[in-house]
Amino acid sequence: MPAKKKSLDLEASLSELEAIVAQMETGELTLEQSLAAFEQGIKLTRDCQTRLQQAEQQVQMLIEQNGEPTLTGFDTSTQDDGAS
């Protein structure tokens, strides 16, 4: 069930991103708080994009296996961990 866990993680990231946007839209944050919220939002956005790209890659692998839906593993060791 790892695929379900990733889905929940994606949903949690999107929810957190929505909360950050709502908080920033209030206009009540200081400049420093706004910058920190913006930075966190960028990290969440990149993480969500990476997860969606991995899901798309997995779907492509399923579709392209000689016209037969066959699950093939792929290397996730190159994913960006956001440490940079």
Side-chain angles (χ1 to χ4, degrees):
M1 286 211 189
K4 186 67 174 173
K5 183 177 183 336
K6 283 186 181 180
S7 177
L8 293 175
D9 289 343
L10 177 64
E11 291 170 6
S13 293
L14 288 173
S15 293
E16 187 175 344
L17 186 57
E18 288 173 356
I20 288 171
V21 169
Q23 186 180 27
M24 291 181 73
E25 286 178 340
T26 66
E28 297 177 5
L29 298 176
T30 65
L31 177 59
E32 291 78 17
Q33 291 170 327
S34 294
L35 288 172
F38 182 76
E39 182 178 4
Q40 181 62 22
I42 293 296
K43 288 178 183 177
L44 287 168
T45 300
R46 288 180 181 157
D47 185 45
C48 289
Q49 288 173 337
T50 298
R51 291 176 190 182
L52 290 172
Q53 287 170 346
Q54 289 174 346
E56 183 179 359
Q57 183 181 13
Q58 187 172 4
V59 168
Q60 282 300 116
M61 285 182 192
L62 286 168
I63 292 171
E64 294 175 358
Q65 291 295 318
N66 300 322
E68 299 289 324
T70 306
L71 182 60
T72 304
F74 60 94
D75 183 14
T76 60
S77 64
T78 60
Q79 95 179 22
D80 182 18
D81 62 6
S84 54

